[in-house]
Amino acid sequence: MNGPTTNGAPGARRFPDGFLWGAGTSAYQIEGAVNEDGRGRSIWDVFSHTPGTVRTGETGDIACDSYHRLGDDVACLAELGVGAYRFSIAWSRVLPSGRGPVNQAGLDYYRALVDELRAHGIVPVATVYHWDLPQALEDEGGWASRDTAELLAQYAAVLADALGDRVGMWTTVNEPQQTVHQGYRLGTHAPGHRDLRLAAAAAHHILLGHGLALQALRAALPARVPVGIALDPHPYRAVGEDAKLVATQLDADQNRICVDPVLHGTYPAHANPELLPPDALIHEGDLTAISAPVDFIGVNYYRPHYVRSGDWSNLRLGETPVPDHPGFVEYLPPERPQTVMGWLVEPDGLYEILTRLHRESRGLPLYITENGCAAEDYVNPDGDINDVERVDYIHGHLDAVLRALADGVDVAGYFHWSLLDNFEWAWGYRRRFGLYYVDYGTQRRLPKRSAAFYAGIVRSGELPALDPVVPELPLAPVAES
Ligand code: FCB
Protein backbone atom coordinates (compact mmCIF):
# COMPACT_ATOMS: atom_id res chain seq x y z
CA MET A 1 0.00 0.00 0.00
CA ASN A 2 1.26 3.47 -0.84
CA GLY A 3 0.22 4.79 2.53
CA PRO A 4 1.96 7.15 4.87
CA THR A 5 5.33 6.05 6.19
CA THR A 6 5.52 4.00 9.35
CA ASN A 7 7.25 4.70 12.61
CA GLY A 8 10.02 2.40 11.59
CA ALA A 9 9.00 -1.10 12.66
CA PRO A 10 10.25 -3.32 9.82
CA GLY A 11 7.44 -4.38 7.52
CA ALA A 12 4.73 -2.61 9.50
CA ARG A 13 1.95 -1.09 7.41
CA ARG A 14 0.17 2.06 8.35
CA PHE A 15 -3.56 2.81 8.45
CA PRO A 16 -4.71 6.15 7.07
CA ASP A 17 -4.73 9.18 9.36
CA GLY A 18 -8.12 9.58 11.01
CA PHE A 19 -8.93 5.85 10.84
CA LEU A 20 -11.33 5.30 13.74
CA TRP A 21 -10.38 2.53 16.16
CA GLY A 22 -12.96 1.14 18.53
CA ALA A 23 -14.51 -1.76 20.34
CA GLY A 24 -18.15 -2.74 20.76
CA THR A 25 -20.77 -4.28 23.02
CA SER A 26 -24.56 -4.36 23.22
CA ALA A 27 -26.93 -3.58 26.06
CA TYR A 28 -28.46 -6.96 26.91
CA GLN A 29 -25.10 -8.69 26.55
CA ILE A 30 -23.35 -6.60 29.21
CA GLU A 31 -25.62 -4.45 31.36
CA GLY A 32 -27.41 -6.80 33.77
CA ALA A 33 -29.55 -4.84 36.28
CA VAL A 34 -32.65 -6.02 34.45
CA ASN A 35 -35.04 -5.02 37.21
CA GLU A 36 -33.50 -1.73 38.20
CA ASP A 37 -34.57 1.88 37.88
CA GLY A 38 -37.80 1.17 36.05
CA ARG A 39 -36.43 -0.91 33.16
CA GLY A 40 -39.17 -2.86 31.38
CA ARG A 41 -38.80 -6.47 30.23
CA SER A 42 -37.38 -7.18 26.80
CA ILE A 43 -37.84 -10.21 24.58
CA TRP A 44 -34.42 -11.45 25.66
CA ASP A 45 -35.43 -11.45 29.34
CA VAL A 46 -38.40 -13.62 28.50
CA PHE A 47 -36.55 -15.82 26.01
CA SER A 48 -33.52 -16.47 28.20
CA HIS A 49 -35.80 -17.37 31.12
CA THR A 50 -37.57 -19.94 28.95
CA PRO A 51 -36.08 -23.40 29.59
CA GLY A 52 -34.18 -24.85 26.65
CA THR A 53 -33.31 -21.60 24.90
CA VAL A 54 -29.85 -20.75 26.23
CA ARG A 55 -27.06 -23.24 26.95
CA THR A 56 -27.05 -24.22 30.60
CA GLY A 57 -30.02 -21.94 31.28
CA GLU A 58 -28.01 -18.74 31.60
CA THR A 59 -29.62 -15.30 31.34
CA GLY A 60 -28.50 -11.69 31.02
CA ASP A 61 -29.84 -10.83 34.48
CA ILE A 62 -26.37 -9.90 35.73
CA ALA A 63 -24.15 -10.25 32.65
CA CYS A 64 -21.04 -8.04 33.07
CA ASP A 65 -22.91 -5.80 35.50
CA SER A 66 -22.01 -2.86 33.27
CA TYR A 67 -25.00 -0.93 34.55
CA HIS A 68 -23.06 -0.51 37.80
CA ARG A 69 -19.58 -0.60 36.32
CA LEU A 70 -19.55 1.78 33.43
CA GLY A 71 -16.45 3.37 34.90
CA ASP A 72 -14.62 0.03 34.65
CA ASP A 73 -15.68 -0.43 31.03
CA VAL A 74 -14.57 3.07 30.07
CA ALA A 75 -11.27 2.48 31.89
CA CYS A 76 -10.71 -0.58 29.66
CA LEU A 77 -11.43 1.49 26.55
CA ALA A 78 -9.06 4.21 27.72
CA GLU A 79 -6.37 1.61 28.38
CA LEU A 80 -6.79 0.31 24.83
CA GLY A 81 -6.46 3.87 23.58
CA VAL A 82 -9.42 3.55 21.21
CA GLY A 83 -11.09 6.62 19.78
CA ALA A 84 -14.64 5.25 19.85
CA TYR A 85 -16.99 2.89 21.70
CA ARG A 86 -19.95 1.21 20.03
CA PHE A 87 -22.69 0.34 22.51
CA SER A 88 -26.44 -0.10 22.23
CA ILE A 89 -29.27 1.47 24.15
CA ALA A 90 -31.87 -0.78 25.76
CA TRP A 91 -35.24 0.35 24.42
CA SER A 92 -37.06 -0.94 27.53
CA ARG A 93 -34.79 1.04 29.87
CA VAL A 94 -35.79 4.26 28.15
CA LEU A 95 -39.41 3.38 27.29
CA PRO A 96 -40.32 0.44 29.55
CA SER A 97 -43.32 -0.58 27.49
CA GLY A 98 -41.83 0.47 24.17
CA ARG A 99 -43.87 3.67 23.89
CA GLY A 100 -45.28 6.39 26.06
CA PRO A 101 -43.59 8.10 28.99
CA VAL A 102 -39.82 8.24 29.15
CA ASN A 103 -38.10 6.57 32.08
CA GLN A 104 -35.66 9.30 33.04
CA ALA A 105 -33.50 6.97 35.14
CA GLY A 106 -32.89 4.81 32.10
CA LEU A 107 -31.85 7.76 30.00
CA ASP A 108 -29.62 9.02 32.82
CA TYR A 109 -27.55 5.83 32.65
CA TYR A 110 -26.75 6.44 28.99
CA ARG A 111 -26.09 10.11 29.64
CA ALA A 112 -23.60 9.12 32.33
CA LEU A 113 -21.97 6.62 29.96
CA VAL A 114 -21.71 9.14 27.17
CA ASP A 115 -20.30 11.80 29.51
CA GLU A 116 -17.71 9.39 30.88
CA LEU A 117 -16.66 8.45 27.36
CA ARG A 118 -16.38 12.10 26.34
CA ALA A 119 -14.36 12.84 29.45
CA HIS A 120 -11.84 10.27 28.19
CA GLY A 121 -11.87 11.63 24.64
CA ILE A 122 -13.74 8.56 23.34
CA VAL A 123 -16.46 9.11 20.74
CA PRO A 124 -19.77 7.44 21.73
CA VAL A 125 -21.22 5.40 18.85
CA ALA A 126 -24.78 4.39 19.74
CA THR A 127 -26.93 1.64 18.25
CA VAL A 128 -30.64 2.31 18.63
CA TYR A 129 -31.70 -1.34 18.33
CA HIS A 130 -29.54 -4.35 19.08
CA TRP A 131 -32.16 -7.12 19.39
CA ASP A 132 -33.79 -6.34 22.76
CA LEU A 133 -37.35 -5.40 21.77
CA PRO A 134 -39.57 -4.43 24.72
CA GLN A 135 -41.69 -7.48 25.54
CA ALA A 136 -44.78 -5.24 25.61
CA LEU A 137 -44.32 -4.69 21.87
CA GLU A 138 -43.74 -8.37 21.21
CA ASP A 139 -47.08 -8.98 22.92
CA GLU A 140 -48.64 -6.68 20.30
CA GLY A 141 -47.08 -8.57 17.38
CA GLY A 142 -43.40 -7.59 17.53
CA TRP A 143 -41.63 -7.05 14.21
CA ALA A 144 -44.42 -8.81 12.39
CA SER A 145 -46.48 -5.69 13.14
CA ARG A 146 -45.96 -2.49 11.17
CA ASP A 147 -46.53 -0.40 14.32
CA THR A 148 -43.19 -1.61 15.70
CA ALA A 149 -41.37 0.18 12.88
CA GLU A 150 -43.12 3.43 13.72
CA LEU A 151 -42.47 3.00 17.42
CA LEU A 152 -38.78 2.44 16.73
CA ALA A 153 -38.71 5.83 15.05
CA GLN A 154 -40.44 7.48 18.02
CA TYR A 155 -37.93 5.88 20.36
CA ALA A 156 -35.06 7.04 18.13
CA ALA A 157 -36.45 10.59 18.32
CA VAL A 158 -36.41 10.40 22.13
CA LEU A 159 -32.76 9.31 22.03
CA ALA A 160 -31.80 12.00 19.57
CA ASP A 161 -33.38 14.67 21.78
CA ALA A 162 -31.75 13.40 24.96
CA LEU A 163 -28.31 12.38 23.69
CA GLY A 164 -28.02 13.85 20.23
CA ASP A 165 -25.59 16.55 21.19
CA ARG A 166 -23.18 14.04 22.75
CA VAL A 167 -23.26 10.88 20.64
CA GLY A 168 -20.80 11.09 17.76
CA MET A 169 -22.30 8.50 15.39
CA TRP A 170 -25.50 6.44 15.30
CA THR A 171 -26.48 3.11 13.84
CA THR A 172 -30.21 2.45 13.63
CA VAL A 173 -30.50 -1.33 13.67
CA ASN A 174 -27.95 -4.08 14.24
CA GLU A 175 -28.03 -7.02 11.80
CA PRO A 176 -31.72 -6.99 10.84
CA GLN A 177 -31.12 -10.26 9.01
CA GLN A 178 -30.24 -12.12 12.22
CA THR A 179 -33.43 -10.92 13.89
CA VAL A 180 -35.40 -12.31 10.97
CA HIS A 181 -33.41 -15.50 10.49
CA GLN A 182 -32.72 -16.57 14.05
CA GLY A 183 -35.61 -14.80 15.76
CA TYR A 184 -38.38 -15.66 13.30
CA ARG A 185 -37.26 -18.55 11.05
CA LEU A 186 -35.07 -20.79 13.20
CA GLY A 187 -36.33 -19.74 16.62
CA THR A 188 -32.82 -19.84 18.07
CA HIS A 189 -32.96 -16.19 19.19
CA ALA A 190 -35.69 -14.13 20.85
CA PRO A 191 -38.58 -14.00 20.26
CA GLY A 192 -38.14 -17.65 19.22
CA HIS A 193 -40.67 -17.93 16.38
CA ARG A 194 -40.45 -20.57 13.68
CA ASP A 195 -42.84 -19.15 11.15
CA LEU A 196 -41.91 -18.08 7.61
CA ARG A 197 -44.97 -15.87 7.26
CA LEU A 198 -44.10 -13.90 10.38
CA ALA A 199 -40.45 -13.84 9.29
CA ALA A 200 -41.30 -12.29 5.92
CA ALA A 201 -43.35 -9.59 7.63
CA ALA A 202 -40.60 -9.01 10.22
CA ALA A 203 -38.03 -8.58 7.44
CA HIS A 204 -39.95 -5.70 5.94
CA HIS A 205 -40.88 -4.03 9.22
CA ILE A 206 -37.42 -4.08 10.73
CA LEU A 207 -36.00 -2.55 7.55
CA LEU A 208 -38.82 0.00 7.57
CA GLY A 209 -37.93 0.64 11.21
CA HIS A 210 -34.41 1.45 10.04
CA GLY A 211 -35.76 3.85 7.39
CA LEU A 212 -38.13 5.64 9.77
CA ALA A 213 -35.55 5.80 12.57
CA LEU A 214 -33.09 7.28 10.08
CA GLN A 215 -35.61 10.02 9.27
CA ALA A 216 -36.29 10.67 12.95
CA LEU A 217 -32.59 10.90 13.80
CA ARG A 218 -31.87 13.15 10.84
CA ALA A 219 -34.73 15.46 11.81
CA ALA A 220 -33.33 15.94 15.31
CA LEU A 221 -29.56 15.71 14.93
CA PRO A 222 -27.08 18.28 13.66
CA ALA A 223 -26.23 17.57 10.00
CA ARG A 224 -22.64 16.65 10.83
CA VAL A 225 -23.63 13.60 12.92
CA PRO A 226 -23.32 10.45 10.76
CA VAL A 227 -26.13 7.90 10.78
CA GLY A 228 -25.89 4.38 9.32
CA ILE A 229 -27.01 0.78 9.74
CA ALA A 230 -25.00 -2.32 10.71
CA LEU A 231 -25.45 -5.17 8.20
CA ASP A 232 -23.86 -8.61 8.27
CA PRO A 233 -23.41 -9.90 4.73
CA HIS A 234 -21.22 -12.98 4.47
CA PRO A 235 -19.83 -14.72 1.39
CA TYR A 236 -21.41 -17.97 0.20
CA ARG A 237 -18.73 -19.97 -1.57
CA ALA A 238 -19.71 -22.72 -4.01
CA VAL A 239 -17.35 -25.66 -4.22
CA GLY A 240 -18.03 -27.33 -7.55
CA GLU A 241 -19.94 -25.98 -10.55
CA ASP A 242 -23.13 -27.71 -9.47
CA ALA A 243 -23.28 -25.71 -6.21
CA LYS A 244 -23.08 -22.29 -7.87
CA LEU A 245 -26.82 -21.78 -8.22
CA VAL A 246 -27.40 -22.75 -4.60
CA ALA A 247 -24.75 -20.30 -3.40
CA THR A 248 -26.36 -17.51 -5.44
CA GLN A 249 -29.75 -18.40 -3.99
CA LEU A 250 -28.41 -18.36 -0.42
CA ASP A 251 -26.77 -15.02 -1.09
CA ALA A 252 -30.17 -13.63 -2.12
CA ASP A 253 -32.01 -15.19 0.82
CA GLN A 254 -29.50 -14.27 3.50
CA ASN A 255 -27.62 -11.18 2.24
CA ARG A 256 -29.44 -9.41 -0.56
CA ILE A 257 -32.74 -9.53 1.28
CA CYS A 258 -31.37 -6.76 3.56
CA VAL A 259 -28.57 -5.22 1.50
CA ASP A 260 -30.65 -4.58 -1.64
CA PRO A 261 -33.54 -2.69 -0.01
CA VAL A 262 -31.10 -0.48 1.92
CA LEU A 263 -28.76 0.25 -0.99
CA HIS A 264 -31.06 -0.03 -3.99
CA GLY A 265 -34.64 0.23 -2.73
CA THR A 266 -35.66 -3.19 -4.08
CA TYR A 267 -36.07 -6.71 -2.75
CA PRO A 268 -34.02 -9.33 -4.65
CA ALA A 269 -36.36 -10.80 -7.26
CA HIS A 270 -34.67 -14.21 -7.18
CA ALA A 271 -34.88 -14.70 -3.40
CA ASN A 272 -37.04 -17.56 -2.15
CA PRO A 273 -40.61 -16.13 -2.46
CA GLU A 274 -41.51 -17.55 0.96
CA LEU A 275 -38.90 -15.31 2.57
CA LEU A 276 -39.83 -12.12 0.74
CA PRO A 277 -42.41 -9.78 2.28
CA PRO A 278 -45.74 -10.00 0.44
CA ASP A 279 -46.59 -6.96 -1.70
CA ALA A 280 -49.57 -6.15 0.50
CA LEU A 281 -47.24 -5.26 3.37
CA ILE A 282 -45.10 -2.91 1.29
CA HIS A 283 -46.80 0.47 1.32
CA GLU A 284 -46.06 3.23 -1.10
CA GLY A 285 -42.95 5.10 0.00
CA ASP A 286 -41.63 2.27 2.22
CA LEU A 287 -38.75 1.35 -0.05
CA THR A 288 -37.88 5.01 -0.54
CA ALA A 289 -37.62 5.38 3.24
CA ILE A 290 -35.59 2.18 3.58
CA SER A 291 -33.16 3.23 0.85
CA ALA A 292 -32.80 6.88 1.93
CA PRO A 293 -29.09 7.76 1.85
CA VAL A 294 -27.11 6.75 4.91
CA ASP A 295 -23.77 8.33 5.81
CA PHE A 296 -22.03 5.00 6.15
CA ILE A 297 -22.60 1.27 6.14
CA GLY A 298 -21.60 -0.68 9.22
CA VAL A 299 -20.17 -4.08 8.33
CA ASN A 300 -20.34 -6.93 10.83
CA TYR A 301 -18.14 -9.72 9.53
CA TYR A 302 -17.19 -13.02 11.14
CA ARG A 303 -17.03 -15.83 8.57
CA PRO A 304 -17.86 -17.17 5.11
CA HIS A 305 -20.09 -20.17 4.31
CA TYR A 306 -19.19 -23.04 1.98
CA VAL A 307 -21.69 -25.12 -0.01
CA ARG A 308 -21.24 -28.22 -2.13
CA SER A 309 -23.25 -31.24 -3.17
CA GLY A 310 -23.61 -33.84 -0.43
CA ASP A 311 -25.61 -36.86 0.58
CA TRP A 312 -28.29 -35.89 3.12
CA SER A 313 -28.75 -39.51 4.13
CA ASN A 314 -25.06 -39.95 4.82
CA LEU A 315 -23.74 -36.61 6.10
CA ARG A 316 -20.01 -36.29 6.71
CA LEU A 317 -18.48 -34.57 9.71
CA GLY A 318 -19.16 -30.81 9.62
CA GLU A 319 -21.89 -31.03 6.97
CA THR A 320 -25.41 -29.65 7.44
CA PRO A 321 -28.20 -29.90 4.86
CA VAL A 322 -29.08 -26.67 3.04
CA PRO A 323 -32.84 -26.37 3.67
CA ASP A 324 -34.94 -26.45 0.48
CA HIS A 325 -31.95 -27.64 -1.58
CA PRO A 326 -31.90 -31.44 -1.44
CA GLY A 327 -28.50 -32.85 -2.29
CA PHE A 328 -26.60 -29.76 -1.09
CA VAL A 329 -24.82 -29.19 2.20
CA GLU A 330 -23.08 -26.42 4.00
CA TYR A 331 -19.74 -27.67 5.30
CA LEU A 332 -16.52 -26.68 7.01
CA PRO A 333 -13.51 -27.35 4.78
CA PRO A 334 -11.28 -29.30 7.18
CA GLU A 335 -8.13 -27.61 5.93
CA ARG A 336 -9.36 -24.21 7.09
CA PRO A 337 -9.11 -22.99 10.67
CA GLN A 338 -12.29 -22.52 12.63
CA THR A 339 -13.09 -20.98 15.98
CA VAL A 340 -14.71 -22.60 18.98
CA MET A 341 -18.06 -21.39 17.57
CA GLY A 342 -17.41 -23.65 14.55
CA TRP A 343 -17.03 -20.49 12.47
CA LEU A 344 -14.43 -20.56 9.69
CA VAL A 345 -11.58 -18.10 9.96
CA GLU A 346 -11.15 -16.47 6.57
CA PRO A 347 -10.02 -12.84 6.34
CA ASP A 348 -10.44 -12.94 2.54
CA GLY A 349 -14.17 -13.03 3.20
CA LEU A 350 -13.90 -9.62 4.84
CA TYR A 351 -11.92 -8.27 1.88
CA GLU A 352 -14.58 -9.62 -0.46
CA ILE A 353 -17.50 -8.10 1.48
CA LEU A 354 -15.77 -4.73 1.76
CA THR A 355 -15.04 -4.54 -1.97
CA ARG A 356 -18.55 -5.70 -2.81
CA LEU A 357 -20.25 -3.13 -0.57
CA HIS A 358 -17.91 -0.44 -1.87
CA ARG A 359 -19.01 -1.22 -5.41
CA GLU A 360 -22.68 -1.56 -4.63
CA SER A 361 -22.89 1.52 -2.42
CA ARG A 362 -20.92 3.61 -4.93
CA GLY A 363 -18.17 4.33 -2.48
CA LEU A 364 -19.96 5.02 0.81
CA PRO A 365 -17.67 5.03 3.84
CA LEU A 366 -17.63 1.60 5.48
CA TYR A 367 -17.01 1.03 9.16
CA ILE A 368 -16.36 -2.48 10.36
CA THR A 369 -18.82 -2.32 13.23
CA GLU A 370 -18.08 -5.88 14.37
CA ASN A 371 -15.32 -8.42 13.82
CA GLY A 372 -13.85 -10.85 16.30
CA CYS A 373 -13.74 -14.43 17.49
CA ALA A 374 -14.58 -16.63 20.42
CA ALA A 375 -11.76 -18.69 21.91
CA GLU A 376 -11.22 -21.05 24.84
CA ASP A 377 -9.73 -18.34 27.00
CA TYR A 378 -8.52 -19.07 30.49
CA VAL A 379 -6.33 -17.40 33.08
CA ASN A 380 -3.07 -19.30 33.30
CA PRO A 381 -1.14 -19.83 36.56
CA ASP A 382 0.86 -16.63 35.93
CA GLY A 383 -2.39 -14.69 35.71
CA ASP A 384 -2.16 -14.14 31.95
CA ILE A 385 -4.73 -14.87 29.29
CA ASN A 386 -2.73 -15.95 26.33
CA ASP A 387 -5.30 -15.79 23.52
CA VAL A 388 -3.00 -16.23 20.54
CA GLU A 389 -5.95 -17.29 18.33
CA ARG A 390 -7.53 -13.87 18.78
CA VAL A 391 -4.24 -12.08 18.11
CA ASP A 392 -3.95 -14.03 14.89
CA TYR A 393 -7.58 -13.37 13.98
CA ILE A 394 -7.16 -9.62 14.46
CA HIS A 395 -3.94 -9.61 12.49
CA GLY A 396 -5.45 -11.49 9.57
CA HIS A 397 -8.58 -9.38 9.39
CA LEU A 398 -6.76 -6.06 9.69
CA ASP A 399 -4.49 -7.24 6.91
CA ALA A 400 -7.66 -7.73 4.81
CA VAL A 401 -8.75 -4.18 5.71
CA LEU A 402 -5.38 -2.83 4.54
CA ARG A 403 -5.74 -4.70 1.26
CA ALA A 404 -9.23 -3.24 0.74
CA LEU A 405 -7.92 0.25 1.53
CA ALA A 406 -5.08 -0.23 -0.95
CA ASP A 407 -7.68 -1.12 -3.59
CA GLY A 408 -9.55 2.13 -2.99
CA VAL A 409 -12.27 0.99 -0.59
CA ASP A 410 -13.19 3.73 1.89
CA VAL A 411 -12.87 1.81 5.15
CA ALA A 412 -13.13 4.50 7.81
CA GLY A 413 -12.84 2.50 11.02
CA TYR A 414 -12.77 -0.83 12.83
CA PHE A 415 -14.63 -1.82 16.01
CA HIS A 416 -13.47 -5.04 17.56
CA TRP A 417 -16.19 -7.33 18.89
CA SER A 418 -16.06 -7.33 21.76
CA LEU A 419 -14.58 -5.08 24.40
CA LEU A 420 -15.55 -7.65 27.05
CA ASP A 421 -16.55 -11.26 27.32
CA ASN A 422 -20.33 -11.17 27.63
CA PHE A 423 -23.66 -12.94 27.26
CA GLU A 424 -23.34 -14.49 23.81
CA TRP A 425 -27.07 -14.94 23.20
CA ALA A 426 -28.07 -18.61 22.94
CA TRP A 427 -24.52 -19.61 23.97
CA GLY A 428 -24.80 -17.75 27.26
CA TYR A 429 -21.43 -17.18 28.93
CA ARG A 430 -19.92 -20.30 27.30
CA ARG A 431 -18.43 -18.26 24.49
CA ARG A 432 -15.87 -15.54 25.19
CA PHE A 433 -15.38 -12.85 22.53
CA GLY A 434 -13.71 -10.13 24.60
CA LEU A 435 -10.41 -8.32 24.46
CA TYR A 436 -10.95 -8.28 28.22
CA TYR A 437 -11.62 -11.46 30.14
CA VAL A 438 -14.51 -11.13 32.55
CA ASP A 439 -14.21 -13.11 35.76
CA TYR A 440 -17.94 -13.50 36.31
CA GLY A 441 -17.42 -14.37 39.98
CA THR A 442 -15.85 -11.02 40.86
CA GLN A 443 -16.71 -9.04 37.70
CA ARG A 444 -13.05 -8.07 37.34
CA ARG A 445 -12.00 -7.23 33.79
CA LEU A 446 -8.57 -8.66 32.87
CA PRO A 447 -6.78 -7.67 29.67
CA LYS A 448 -6.04 -10.62 27.42
CA ARG A 449 -2.92 -10.77 25.30
CA SER A 450 -5.09 -9.59 22.38
CA ALA A 451 -5.92 -6.39 24.30
CA ALA A 452 -2.23 -5.54 24.45
CA PHE A 453 -1.79 -6.45 20.80
CA TYR A 454 -4.79 -4.36 19.71
CA ALA A 455 -3.69 -1.44 21.91
CA GLY A 456 -0.31 -1.52 20.13
CA ILE A 457 -2.00 -1.22 16.75
CA VAL A 458 -4.36 1.51 17.94
CA ARG A 459 -1.56 3.58 19.42
CA SER A 460 0.86 3.21 16.50
CA GLY A 461 -1.76 3.19 13.73
CA GLU A 462 0.26 0.33 12.24
CA LEU A 463 -0.19 -3.36 11.66
CA PRO A 464 3.02 -5.16 12.56
CA ALA A 465 4.57 -7.46 9.98
CA LEU A 466 4.03 -11.18 9.53
CA ASP A 467 3.80 -13.09 12.75
CA PRO A 468 2.54 -10.55 15.18
CA VAL A 469 5.14 -9.42 17.65
CA VAL A 470 3.17 -9.51 20.86
CA PRO A 471 4.49 -7.38 23.67
CA GLU A 472 4.53 -8.62 27.23
CA LEU A 473 1.25 -7.72 28.89
CA PRO A 474 1.72 -4.06 29.79
CA LEU A 475 -1.87 -3.54 30.86
CA ALA A 476 -2.86 -3.82 34.48
CA PRO A 477 -6.24 -5.32 35.42
CA VAL A 478 -8.92 -2.72 35.98
CA ALA A 479 -9.60 -2.46 39.66
CA GLU A 480 -12.88 -3.62 41.06
CA SER A 481 -15.29 -0.80 41.66
C1 FCB B 1 -23.19 -10.71 16.08
C2 FCB B 1 -24.00 -9.88 17.08
C3 FCB B 1 -23.25 -9.58 18.34
C4 FCB B 1 -22.40 -10.76 18.81
C5 FCB B 1 -21.59 -11.33 17.68
C6 FCB B 1 -20.72 -12.49 18.08
O1 FCB B 1 -24.06 -11.32 15.16
O2 FCB B 1 -24.37 -8.66 16.48
O3 FCB B 1 -24.16 -9.14 19.31
O4 FCB B 1 -23.20 -11.68 19.43
O5 FCB B 1 -22.44 -11.73 16.63
Side-chain angles (χ1 to χ4, degrees):
M1 182 171 121
N2 291 327
T5 50
T6 67
N7 290 333
R13 285 169 299 155
R14 206 165 168 66
F15 284 84
D17 289 342
F19 190 86
L20 190 61
W21 294 104
T25 60
S26 88
Y28 188 71
Q29 295 181 275
I30 64 162
E31 285 178 3
V34 292
N35 294 317
E36 278 181 56
D37 293 339
R39 176 186 179 277
R41 280 190 317 161
S42 83
I43 55 174
W44 268 96
D45 296 303
V46 173
F47 187 75
S48 65
H49 278 269
T50 306
T53 54
V54 177
R55 310 254 154 171
T56 63
E58 288 162 338
T59 73
D61 286 3
I62 297 173
C64 309
D65 196 29
S66 287
Y67 191 71
H68 301 117
R69 292 168 194 268
L70 69 84
D72 289 3
D73 293 354
V74 176
C76 293
L77 291 158
E79 202 171 45
L80 289 173
V82 289
Y85 178 45
R86 176 176 181 252
F87 60 96
S88 81
I89 297 174
W91 190 338
S92 67
R93 247 186 229 295
V94 175
L95 300 171
S97 52
R99 61 168 100 221
V102 170
N103 175 36
Q104 192 56 45
L107 266 184
D108 288 348
Y109 167 67
Y110 296 105
R111 261 178 189 276
L113 172 62
V114 163
D115 287 350
E116 184 74 2
L117 289 166
R118 288 254 173 233
H120 286 81
I122 298 167
V123 175
V125 177
T127 299
V128 175
Y129 183 71
H130 197 128
W131 301 359
D132 46 358
L133 188 74
Q135 179 62 31
L137 299 187
E138 173 60 19
D139 295 342
E140 296 172 21
W143 288 111
S145 157
R146 187 179 175 91
D147 291 351
T148 303
E150 280 158 21
L151 291 166
L152 181 78
Q154 290 171 21
Y155 155 55
V158 168
L159 298 184
D161 270 357
L163 304 168
D165 54 337
R166 299 157 201 228
V167 168
M169 265 170 82
W170 294 82
T171 52
T172 52
V173 173
N174 180 68
E175 298 188 4
Q177 170 58 7
Q178 291 311 316
T179 289
V180 174
H181 190 60
Q182 300 209 59
Y184 283 81
R185 291 183 197 147
L186 304 179
T188 48
H189 277 187
H193 297 304
R194 292 194 188 95
D195 183 322
L196 290 188
R197 202 181 47 83
L198 291 182
H204 184 60
H205 295 143
I206 196 165
L207 289 169
L208 181 62
H210 152 72
L212 299 180
L214 176 67
Q215 274 172 19
L217 291 170
R218 286 245 198 276
L221 296 173
R224 65 185 154 72
V225 179
V227 185
I229 181 171
L231 299 173
D232 66 319
H234 26 268
Y236 281 94
R237 304 198 188 292
V239 175
E241 276 297 310
D242 56 345
K244 281 200 168 145
L245 260 180
V246 178
T248 308
Q249 181 71 50
L250 288 171
D251 182 53
D253 295 350
Q254 302 286 342
N255 294 328
R256 291 208 165 280
I257 200 159
C258 286
V259 172
D260 285 12
V262 170
L263 290 184
H264 310 307
T266 52
Y267 282 106
H270 53 289
N272 176 350
E274 278 197 301
L275 306 182
L276 286 174
D279 288 345
L281 293 186
I282 306 172
H283 297 193
E284 204 182 323
D286 283 4
L287 283 160
T288 311
I290 294 171
S291 61
V294 281
D295 298 302
F296 66 91
I297 298 286
V299 181
N300 292 3
Y301 173 80
Y302 291 92
R303 56 166 167 164
H305 295 264
Y306 278 74
V307 280
R308 69 177 177 200
S309 59
D311 182 355
W312 283 22
S313 61
N314 186 19
L315 292 172
R316 295 193 229 156
L317 191 68
E319 288 185 341
T320 44
V322 178
D324 300 326
H325 297 279
F328 288 94
V329 293
E330 205 181 294
Y331 77 109
L332 301 169
E335 68 282 7
R336 296 192 180 273
Q338 46 177 284
T339 71
V340 63
M341 297 289 280
W343 294 359
L344 292 167
V345 178
E346 203 178 292
D348 278 348
L350 176 58
Y351 173 85
E352 189 178 318
I353 290 297
L354 291 172
T355 48
R356 174 175 167 179
L357 286 175
H358 175 70
R359 227 179 18 250
E360 291 202 19
S361 71
R362 297 175 193 276
L364 271 182
L366 306 176
Y367 285 88
I368 293 151
T369 33
E370 287 183 25
N371 173 244
C373 69
E376 303 271 20
D377 303 322
Y378 60 93
V379 185
N380 74 18
D382 297 328
D384 298 335
I385 301 126
N386 205 5
D387 57 338
V388 286
E389 303 90 338
R390 188 168 290 103
V391 168
D392 204 48
Y393 188 98
I394 294 172
H395 189 271
H397 287 79
L398 288 179
D399 175 76
V401 173
L402 282 170
R403 284 187 278 132
L405 281 163
D407 290 347
V409 179
D410 183 2
V411 190
Y414 174 93
F415 291 76
H416 190 75
W417 183 274
S418 175
L419 173 65
L420 304 171
D421 294 338
N422 58 49
F423 178 78
E424 177 47 33
W425 310 115
W427 287 94
Y429 301 98
R430 308 291 115 184
R431 291 292 179 267
R432 294 180 176 272
F433 271 91
L435 293 167
Y436 281 77
Y437 184 93
V438 176
D439 174 343
Y440 292 109
T442 62
Q443 293 290 0
R444 286 184 80 212
R445 283 82 162 120
L446 305 162
K448 301 179 191 175
R449 184 165 170 166
S450 58
F453 178 67
Y454 189 53
I457 296 169
V458 169
R459 287 179 200 283
S460 66
E462 294 178 0
L463 186 67
L466 300 174
D467 284 346
V469 182
V470 182
E472 286 301 302
L473 276 175
L475 303 175
V478 175
E480 267 182 85
S481 59

